[in-house]
C-alpha cells in the first residue's frame, strides 16, 4: 500500500468516521502464531510505504477496524483478528487507461522507447493524478501492440523523474527489455546527467555528495538526507560540476550514481544549494542577493518564467537490452529553463557594466 492512500484521507468536520459510509480498501488476517502487537506497528509492517503516524491518525479517526469494529491505535492484535482499513470513499480503480496525449518520442524500436517528458506531466497514475500521465499516453501509443499491456508491471517505465522535472525517460516494451535495463540501473551502469540552477555560488568547480535518502519524518512529501552510516534510508551519490556562475545562483551539471526519489533536490538542499524555484525544498525563498525592490522584482519575474524546480534530465545512456549497443541521448533545454538562465546571464552582465561605469 502506498502512503498516498492515507495522504488523501478525507475526514468529516468532526474528524471521525462515525455516521459516514465507509468502503473497505485493505484487509489483513492475523497469523495464528502472532504475538500481541500494537495495531499501528503491525499495520506499518504490512504497509511499508505508510508512516506509523498516518496509520495512528486513521485509527484514531475510526478508519481502522478489527472484526468489523473500530479500534484505536493502541489496540493489540491477536491471532485470527480480521483487520480492515475502511475509508470514506470507494477504492479507486487503478487500471491504466489509454489516453490520446502527445508524446515527444526521441527514439523507438521493438524493445523500448526513449521519451522527452515535459515539466508538469506525472509519469505514472497515483493519488490525485489518475489520468493525463505519461504512462496513459504510452498506453495509447502502443494500443495496437499485442505485446504491451500498460497494466503489466513487467513492462513499462524503467525509471522515473518528478512531475515538475523535464527530460529523458526510457520505457521498456517487453519483459526482457525491462529486466535487462533494470539490471543496468541497479548496477549503476547507466549514464544520466541533469542540468540544475541552484541558489548560491559554489566555491569549488566540482564535487561529490554522499548521503542516505529517506522520507522527512516532519514532511512525508519531502525527502531528507542522513549520514551514510546511519542505516536510515537508501544510499545515494550525486556528482556535480559547475557549468556557469551567476553570482547569486549557479548552473550545475549533476550526474547520478544512484536514482533515489528527489535525489538531486534533497542532496542540493542538504549542502545549502536548494534548486531555484523548488518550493518543497526552500528554493522559492530569496536566499542570496540584494535587498533592493528591483532585485526582488527580478527574482519574482524569474519564478514566473519557470514556476517549478529548474531541473532537466539532459542526457541518458545505456546498453541496448537486445543488441548490447551503447545508446546515448540528449535533450535540449526546455524554453522555460532557457529563459531563466538567459535572464540571469543578462542580469549579471548588466550588473558588471554598472559596476565598471561607477569607477
Amino acid at each position: 500500500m502506498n502512503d498516498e492512500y492515507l495522504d488523501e484521507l478525507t475526514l468529516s468536520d468532526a474528524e471521525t468516521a462515525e455516521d459516514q459510509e465507509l468502503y473497505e480498501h485493505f484487509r489483513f488476517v492475523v497469523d495464528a502464531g502472532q504475538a500481541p502487537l500494537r495495531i499501528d506497528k503491525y499495520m506499518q509492517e504490512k504497509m511499508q510505504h505508510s508512516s506509523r503516524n498516518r496509520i495512528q491518525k486513521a485509527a484514531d479517526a475510526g478508519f481502522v477496524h478489527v472484526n468489523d469494529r473500530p479500534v484505536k491505535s493502541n489496540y493489540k492484535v491477536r491471532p485470527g483478528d480480521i483487520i480492515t482499513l475502511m475509508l470514506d470513499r470507494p477504492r479507486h480503480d487503478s487500471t491504466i487507461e489509454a489516453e490520446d496525449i502527445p508524446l515527444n518520442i526521441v527514439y523507438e524500436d521493438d524493445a523500448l522507447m526513449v521519451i522527452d517528458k515535459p515539466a508538469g506531466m506525472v509519469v505514472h497514475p497515483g493519488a490525485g493524478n489518475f489520468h493525463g500521465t505519461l504512462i496513459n499516453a504510452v498506453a495509447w501509443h502502443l494500443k495496437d501492440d499485442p505485446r504491451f499491456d500498460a497494466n503489466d508491471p513487467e513492462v513499462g517505465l524503467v525509471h522515473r523523474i518528478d512531475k515538475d522535472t523535464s527530460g529523458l525517460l526510457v520505457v521498456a516494451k517487453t519483459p526482457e527489455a525491462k529486466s535487462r535495463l533494470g539490471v543496468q540501473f541497479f548496477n549503476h551502469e547507466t549514464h544520466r546527467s541533469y542540468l540544475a540552477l541552484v541558489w548560491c555560488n559554489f566555491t569549488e568547480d566540482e564535487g561529490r555528495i554522499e548521503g542516505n535518502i529517506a522520507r522527512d519524518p516532519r514532511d512525508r512529501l519531502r525527502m531528507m538526507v542522513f549520514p551514510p552510516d546511519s542505516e536510515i534510508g537508501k544510499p545515494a551519490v550525486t556528482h556535480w560540476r559547475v557549468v556557469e556562475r551567476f553570482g547569486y545562483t549557479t548552473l550545475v551539471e549533476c550526474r547520478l550514481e544512484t536514482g533515489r526519489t528527489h535525489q538531486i533536490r534533497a542532496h542540493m538542499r542538504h549542502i545549502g544549494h536548494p534548486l531555484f524555484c523548488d518550493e518543497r525544498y526552500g528554493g522559492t525563498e530569496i536566499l542570496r542577493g540584494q535587498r533592493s525592490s528591483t532585485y526582488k522584482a527580478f527574482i519574482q519575474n524569474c519564478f514566473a518564467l519557470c514556476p517549478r524546480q529548474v531541473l532537466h534530465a539532459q542526457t541518458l545512456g545505456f546498453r541496448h537490452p537486445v543488441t548490447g549497443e551503447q545508446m546515448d541521448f540528449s535533450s535540449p533545454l526546455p524554453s522555460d529553463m532557457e529563459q531563466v538562465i538567459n535572464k540571469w546571464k543578462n542580469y549579471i552582465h548588466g550588473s558588471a557594466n554598472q559596476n565598471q561605469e561607477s569607477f
Side-chain angles (χ1 to χ4, degrees), residues 36-237:
L37 185 68
R38 281 180 57 114
I39 195 166
D40 53 353
K41 189 172 182 180
Y42 177 86
M43 291 181 69
Q44 184 188 24
E45 292 176 356
K46 295 292 183 180
M47 303 183 296
Q48 296 180 4
H49 296 287
S50 292
S51 71
R52 188 171 178 182
N53 181 261
R54 290 200 177 274
I55 292 170
Q56 289 171 347
K57 288 181 179 179
D60 293 341
F63 290 92
V64 174
H65 291 197
V66 174
N67 305 324
D68 297 325
R69 296 177 64 88
V71 297
K72 298 300 182 182
S73 56
N74 61 356
Y75 174 86
K76 291 190 176 180
V77 301
R78 302 164 185 162
D81 277 349
I82 300 174
I83 301 170
T84 52
L85 177 63
M86 309 292 293
L87 299 184
D88 55 353
R89 64 190 186 280
R91 183 169 181 172
H92 184 84
D93 183 0
S94 59
T95 302
I96 297 171
E97 299 176 359
E99 297 179 24
D100 188 3
I101 302 168
L103 284 173
N104 183 5
I105 300 171
V106 175
Y107 174 83
E108 182 176 12
D109 61 24
D110 289 341
L112 59 89
M113 300 168 60
V114 176
I115 298 170
D116 197 344
K117 184 189 84 69
M121 175 181 269
V122 177
V123 298
H124 196 280
N129 296 284
F130 294 108
H131 299 283
T133 74
L134 182 137
I135 204 65
N136 291 118
V138 169
W140 178 274
H141 180 75
L142 298 177
K143 64 182 186 301
D144 297 324
D145 186 339
R147 302 171 307 157
F148 186 86
D149 178 1
N151 293 285
D152 182 355
E154 293 188 350
V155 297
L157 289 165
V158 181
H159 61 117
R160 304 186 185 194
I161 58 178
D162 297 336
K163 172 186 174 183
D164 289 325
T165 299
S166 54
L168 297 170
L169 284 164
V170 61
V171 174
K173 292 185 178 182
T174 68
E176 294 77 15
K178 185 168 185 180
S179 175
R180 292 171 185 174
L181 287 168
V183 168
Q184 291 184 52
F185 276 85
F186 181 80
N187 291 332
H188 311 153
E189 297 169 348
T190 59
H191 304 281
R192 287 178 289 166
S193 70
Y194 292 69
L195 277 181
L197 184 68
V198 302
W199 276 106
C200 309
N201 190 21
F202 279 94
T203 57
E204 299 178 337
D205 291 333
E206 60 184 23
R208 179 179 185 272
I209 309 168
E210 182 176 5
N212 292 7
I213 291 180
R215 291 201 179 274
D216 186 334
R218 295 166 295 183
D219 183 350
R220 296 288 297 173
L221 299 180
R222 186 170 63 190
M223 307 306 286
M224 189 171 178
V225 179
F226 296 86
D229 58 355
S230 65
E231 298 184 357
I232 301 174
K234 297 180 179 180
V237 176

Side-chain angles (χ1 to χ4, degrees), residues 11 50 75 81 96 149 152 176 240 245-246 259 315 331 333 345:
L11 307 179
S50 292
Y75 174 86
D81 277 349
I96 297 171
D149 178 1
D152 182 355
E176 294 77 15
W240 60 266
R245 291 180 170 90
F246 305 120
T315 68
S331 166
L333 274 179
K345 289 180 180 179

Side-chain angles (χ1 to χ4, degrees), residues 298-347:
F298 164 75
I299 295 297
Q300 293 305 319
N301 287 336
C302 287
F303 288 163
L305 281 175
C306 188
R308 49 115 174 175
Q309 66 261 14
V310 185
L311 181 64
H312 179 63
Q314 185 181 41
T315 68
L316 174 63
F318 53 85
R319 295 190 314 278
H320 193 281
V322 177
T323 67
E325 177 188 358
Q326 180 64 33
M327 311 287 288
D328 293 294
F329 304 93
S330 63
S331 166
L333 274 179
S335 61
D336 58 354
M337 277 186 64
E338 189 171 29
Q339 289 180 69
V340 167
I341 291 168
N342 286 336
K343 199 168 183 67
W344 272 104
K345 289 180 180 179
N346 293 334
Y347 179 83

